[in-house]
Amino acid sequence: MDMNKKLAQVSDLFCIKGTFVGYHTIQMGNVNKTYEVKFRQPDGSPKSYLIQNVNTYAFRNPIQLMDNIDKVTEHIRGKKPGQIALHFHHTADRKTYVIDGDNFWRMTNYIPSVTYNSVIDQQVVCNAGKAFGEFQMQLSDFDITQLYETIPGFHNTRQRYEQLQEAIEADPVGRVAEVQDEIDYLMSVREVACQLTDMLEQGKLPLRVTHNDTKINNVLFNPDDNSAMVVIDLDTVMPGLVGHDFGDAIRFAANKVSEDALEYDKAGVDLEVFRSFTEGFLDMTADTLTQAEIDTLALSCLTLTVELSTRFLADYILGDPYFNIKYAEHNLVRTRCQIALAKDMQLHMEQMEQIVAECVEKAKNTH
Ligand code: GN1
Ligand code: MG
């Protein structure tokens, strides 16, 4: 596909004014494809937008997904009038998407900002914690029944294990033999990893509206002072547990190496980063969380790390249909890195629990 031509056409369908100048691909996420498109406006000034091609293998109901995002962004905009926010462009017939063949396009404003793939500064990570905590609080009065479950069972860890089991049984590309150690480890922690899912089913943890993909690079920061401006990537906003957001954020931000590091043996939880994020997150949420939610925050980090390991491994076994990969063993490296992190979290569980308790105290004393 001639991308220049295609992106110019898509922009036109979203009624963008001005002359298309060019585009570049943005490295963002492992599922969708993102492009910054540049325009010269009728008055001569430059203006950028973002266009995304939504992965419809991952998101089987992209129209429902856009419906969720529309409602959630409007709700948040109502809470922060006048502030920078994510805004989706509409077509002439008021749709937030363009379907052409297998492609599902959407277009948003481009927000000049910085993002971080790894932690360079404890204040940044604390601000990210506040941003995700605030996001949840802004949606605490949002009617859950308004949301479609765009990926059913997204953080249902038991279901993720069943999907891994099915992949192992199918073994369509003959990769199971080489990943026996990884399978053995994941099966050994199955019950502890499924504890959150079980508690939800037993009614011991409340459902909230959650983001469900709280990687620190899903927060846009102000380049001037590193304050958090906007939480992006709302594709997986769905009913979920507070631990899904907390645990996934820690899994990504507090890892000593990147999510797919080749040196996966160096993976582990950085307790200083853990503390900074937890402090920011609980500053926003401590007053509203139940005791059971607080008690399972540290556990949720292990849960989300193990859960993602099962997803990366199942994808590797199936021949990588889901996650974008850069090389043949990418999903295997990701799996090994997450497993190394999970093992280190098991070793530090008590310290993580202790830090959560201290941050709860601190939040309650300052409010
Ligand atoms: C995917 O595409 P991205 O990076 O936003 C995935 C998350 C995983 C993450 C791992 C819809 O998110 O669940 O945690 O990769 N999103 C979906 O990097 O599956
Ligand atoms: Mg995402």
Side-chain angles (χ1 to χ4, degrees):
M1 146 161 69
D2 174 351
M3 277 316 278
N4 270 305
K5 200 167 149 206
K6 179 54 73 185
L7 294 171
Q9 270 171 6
V10 170
S11 307
D12 199 41
L13 290 168
F14 281 111
C15 313
I16 301 301
K17 303 270 178 304
T19 315
F20 181 86
V21 179
Y23 80 94
H24 76 264
T25 307
I26 298 208
Q27 289 304 329
M28 187 169 159
N30 296 329
V31 172
N32 298 322
K33 296 221 161 56
T34 308
Y35 310 90
E36 177 187 349
V37 291
K38 296 179 183 176
F39 274 75
R40 193 165 45 250
Q41 301 193 93
D43 69 0
S45 61
K47 189 168 167 90
S48 285
Y49 301 86
L50 281 191
I51 292 184
Q52 278 191 313
N53 192 348
V54 176
N55 177 335
T56 50
Y57 177 83
F59 298 105
R60 303 295 170 103
N61 289 303
I63 297 177
Q64 295 186 350
L65 176 152
M66 289 312 293
D67 190 79
N68 279 359
I69 291 184
D70 224 13
K71 289 180 182 141
V72 165
T73 46
E74 282 312 303
H75 189 88
I76 291 177
R77 239 185 342 187
K79 300 253 158 125
K80 296 174 87 173
Q83 288 195 37
I84 296 176
L86 209 53
H87 165 77
F88 284 83
H89 288 275
H90 289 84
T91 59
D93 55 355
R94 302 297 302 157
K95 292 202 173 73
T96 52
Y97 52 86
V98 166
I99 299 175
D100 99 73
D102 287 341
N103 296 309
F104 188 98
W105 303 98
R106 65 184 175 199
M107 189 160 190
T108 68
N109 53 330
Y110 177 85
I111 303 175
S113 55
V114 279
T115 54
Y116 297 100
N117 281 313
S118 60
V119 170
I120 48 140
D121 175 318
Q122 299 299 327
Q123 193 55 48
V124 167
V125 91
C126 180
N127 290 346
K130 282 190 190 169
F132 284 125
E134 184 188 27
F135 180 86
Q136 252 186 33
M137 291 301 109
Q138 284 167 338
L139 292 169
S140 59
D141 58 343
F142 186 95
D143 175 10
I144 276 186
T145 61
Q146 297 259 305
L147 291 177
Y148 293 105
E149 203 179 352
T150 45
I151 302 185
F154 190 59
H155 283 313
N156 181 325
T157 315
R158 275 210 185 276
Q159 192 174 308
R160 293 295 187 184
Y161 264 98
E162 280 153 24
Q163 288 161 349
L164 172 61
Q165 197 88 51
E166 282 162 23
I168 295 168
E169 278 155 27
D171 195 14
V173 289
R175 285 176 166 175
V176 166
E178 67 173 303
V179 297
Q180 202 52 54
D181 287 352
E182 288 74 20
I183 294 173
D184 288 347
Y185 170 75
L186 291 175
M187 292 307 167
S188 77
V189 291
R190 186 176 188 145
E191 287 313 306
V192 62
C194 291
Q195 224 170 301
L196 281 194
T197 302
D198 293 349
M199 287 178 77
L200 172 63
E201 267 159 28
Q202 293 155 4
K204 293 179 182 161
L205 291 170
L207 262 191
R208 298 180 181 274
V209 178
T210 47
H211 181 282
N212 294 309
D213 190 8
T214 47
K215 300 198 283 196
I216 191 173
N217 56 16
N218 279 333
V219 180
L220 303 185
F221 291 91
N222 185 329
D224 298 332
D225 61 3
N226 273 332
S227 58
M229 298 193 296
V230 191
V231 169
I232 58 164
D233 187 1
L234 308 183
D235 291 336
T236 47
V237 170
M238 279 182 282
L241 299 177
V242 66
H244 295 152
D245 279 0
F246 180 81
D248 201 41
I250 294 297
R251 174 195 72 69
F252 190 80
N255 193 351
K256 288 178 186 158
V257 296
S258 68
E259 181 181 89
D260 57 355
L262 284 167
E263 298 173 296
Y264 40 78
D265 52 321
K266 298 210 173 88
V269 54
D270 180 327
L271 291 175
E272 210 189 326
V273 175
F274 179 85
R275 182 185 292 276
S276 299
F277 186 90
T278 307
E279 206 174 298
F281 190 81
L282 284 171
D283 186 34
M284 291 294 171
T285 57
D287 298 340
T288 48
L289 298 185
T290 67
Q291 195 56 45
E293 286 180 301
I294 290 170
D295 291 344
T296 46
L297 284 182
L299 171 67
S300 75
C301 305
L302 176 67
T303 306
L304 273 283
T305 307
V306 170
E307 182 188 286
L308 188 59
S309 310
T310 68
R311 296 176 60 198
F312 283 149
L313 185 57
D315 204 42
Y316 182 69
I317 291 173
L318 294 176
D320 316 298
Y322 189 98
F323 293 105
N324 293 331
I325 53 165
K326 295 204 177 100
Y327 54 92
E329 307 230 299
H330 202 163
N331 272 320
L332 180 57
V333 168
R334 286 170 172 149
T335 305
R336 291 186 170 149
C337 191
Q338 295 304 295
I339 287 180
L341 175 61
K343 287 180 176 168
D344 191 65
M345 284 175 170
Q346 286 184 292
L347 293 176
H348 292 97
M349 192 50 69
E350 269 178 35
Q351 280 153 288
M352 287 158 57
E353 282 168 353
Q354 180 61 32
I355 294 171
V356 168
E358 285 164 20
C359 292
V360 169
E361 265 319 291
K362 187 164 178 186
K364 294 206 163 153
N365 289 335
T366 50
H367 292 170

